[in-house]
Amino acid sequence: MKIRRVLATAVALAVTTPAALLSVSPAYADAKPTAQTQEKQSKPTIEELEEAAAEAQKAYDKAAQAKADGIIETRKTLDELSNGTHPLAVALAAAEQTAKDSAAAKATADQAVTDARAALETLPGTATEEEKAAAKTALAEAEATAATAATAQTAADTAVTEANKKVQDARVAAVNAQSVLDKAAEDALAVKVAADAALAKAIKEAEEGEGEEGGDCEPELDLTSKVTGLPDKLVAGTSTDFSLRVTNGSDRHMDKVLTFVSIHATDKSGLKDTEKFFRLQWSTKSAPKWQNADADDYIDGVGALKPGAHADVKLRLTLDKATPAGNGVAFFAADFFNEDGSCGGAPDLDMYEFDVKAAGSKPGKTEDVKPSTTPRPGNTGTTPQGSASGTPASTGTNGSLAATGSSSATTPIALAGGAAVLLGAAAVFVARRRKTGSDA
């Protein structure tokens, strides 16, 4: 169960972060990942998982090395800017000296004007015309020199301002560049954890002979789950009520329908799991008393659904007051099991992203969070990528959902991110089928 939770959290990370990592460092541009296609098997083989884990390890190694190199370069740049050895710092010092010299020259010129004016004004009454003319000429020349000195000082002061701005900009750029490298290393580590966990899970299932359970279940595009009332921001120390409607839009009778609801959250770093601070409860018409969601994220109480029928599940999500600010994601889906042994479920996990705010913050918008979907591998249905109803996928403020089958990925990190989505969704579906299959 814990492995599934880690994978689902990593899926949310992989969906929202790989695009930002593509421009992190030229070091990532020298490796071309194997193109992925949407014709993946319903469950990846151990060999495929090993390859994905190896790619994720390579991506993380490069990101970690880029971070380490960046730390050295950043420290060097900041030290040189501080001790005056950086070219920009040298230029600033030269500009400051020029400004100092210009100020001294202007002061001398201004004093010469003062002296020349005083000499003219104190000429004795017996001064000749030639002496008066000479005094006026001296004053005019002093004033011209002073004007030139003032212009030079203004230019020198402007040069100091510009040189100082370049030094400050260089400091900010160095710090920002390091921040990008730090974030890239964190995200690459999260993808690596997801890939390693998926591989470990597959190996364990192979050893225990559990990997093929529930293999006969089939995708059912017309079994849909629609959420209403879930805001885009949740605040620590509060409870949020929302609803989930499960609809059987097919022409078949479903004897037993279970809803899958899984809530995952991390702190702002994206690496620390904070789901222990969340409490999910549910109630239905047949079970009106609030009940805690079970450890396997399944909700009973829907029962049978005739063709065209629907059932509503009330949900309540309570955040402990100590819940750290960060990001969250909620997964929803539905599965059915019939007495004749047939079974299936929605091929996609609808994914709703939300922000987690610290206690005392303002609540989120009243309108619902828009869903996106995490496709299960092997989805051969005709519904476009998006919600089960065909609504285009959206990840709210974070842009479009990263397609797990895209062949346009150009870096190991992008490949690992796509693999994390693919493998994480596969692990969730396998766990779901095994759980509900054993209960059917």
Side-chain angles (χ1 to χ4, degrees), residues 25-257:
S25 170
Y28 301 141
D30 60 358
K32 301 295 183 181
T34 303
Q36 299 183 66
T37 66
Q38 293 185 353
E39 289 77 24
K40 277 287 183 181
Q41 301 174 16
S42 60
K43 186 182 179 193
T45 65
I46 290 180
E47 288 75 16
E48 290 173 326
L49 294 173
E50 288 175 336
E51 181 178 356
E55 291 289 350
Q57 181 66 57
K58 290 178 183 177
Y60 171 67
D61 290 344
K62 287 189 175 183
Q65 185 60 53
K67 175 182 177 179
D69 293 343
I71 290 174
I72 295 174
E73 186 62 29
T74 298
R75 287 177 177 172
K76 177 183 177 183
T77 298
L78 294 178
D79 287 345
E80 290 178 347
L81 289 171
S82 296
N83 62 30
T85 59
H86 191 281
L88 292 177
V90 172
L92 173 59
E96 290 174 336
Q97 183 60 50
T98 298
K100 182 178 179 180
D101 294 341
S102 297
K106 182 178 181 301
T108 299
D110 290 342
Q111 184 59 49
V113 170
T114 300
D115 293 344
R117 183 175 290 111
L120 177 62
E121 293 173 350
T122 58
L123 282 175
T126 58
T128 65
E129 290 301 324
E130 289 78 5
E131 291 174 335
K132 293 179 181 179
K136 291 180 180 179
T137 299
L139 175 58
E141 291 176 348
E143 289 175 338
T145 300
T148 300
T151 300
Q153 183 182 15
T154 299
D157 290 342
T158 299
V160 169
T161 300
E162 293 176 351
N164 186 62
K165 184 178 184 302
K166 290 180 180 180
V167 169
Q168 299 306 320
D169 288 347
R171 285 196 176 98
V172 172
V175 173
N176 288 344
Q178 186 60 48
S179 297
V180 172
L181 294 174
D182 291 347
K183 184 63 167 60
E186 292 175 359
D187 291 336
L189 177 60
V191 173
K192 174 184 176 298
V193 169
D196 289 344
L199 175 59
K201 178 72 171 176
I203 293 175
K204 180 179 179 181
E205 288 181 348
E207 292 174 348
E208 297 176 355
E210 297 179 350
E212 298 302 322
E213 291 186 35
D216 295 330
C217 290
E218 61 186 84
E220 178 50 77
L221 295 172
D222 293 322
L223 179 59
T224 60
S225 304
K226 183 178 180 181
V227 174
T228 57
L230 180 62
D232 62 352
K233 295 181 181 65
L234 300 179
V235 179
T238 66
S239 293
T240 300
D241 290 352
F242 56 103
S243 299
L244 175 68
R245 170 164 289 189
V246 181
T247 301
N248 177 9
S250 72
D251 58 1
R252 75 170 94 186
H253 183 279
M254 298 180 180
D255 297 327
K256 180 181 179 181
V257 176

Side-chain angles (χ1 to χ4, degrees), residues 11-28:
V11 167
L13 286 172
V15 167
T16 56
T17 59
L21 305 183
L22 302 183
S23 60
V24 168
S25 170
Y28 301 141

Side-chain angles (χ1 to χ4, degrees), residues 305-319:
L305 283 180
K306 297 178 181 180
H310 67 263
D312 293 322
V313 180
K314 295 180 180 179
L315 296 170
R316 173 172 293 171
L317 186 58
T318 302
L319 281 64

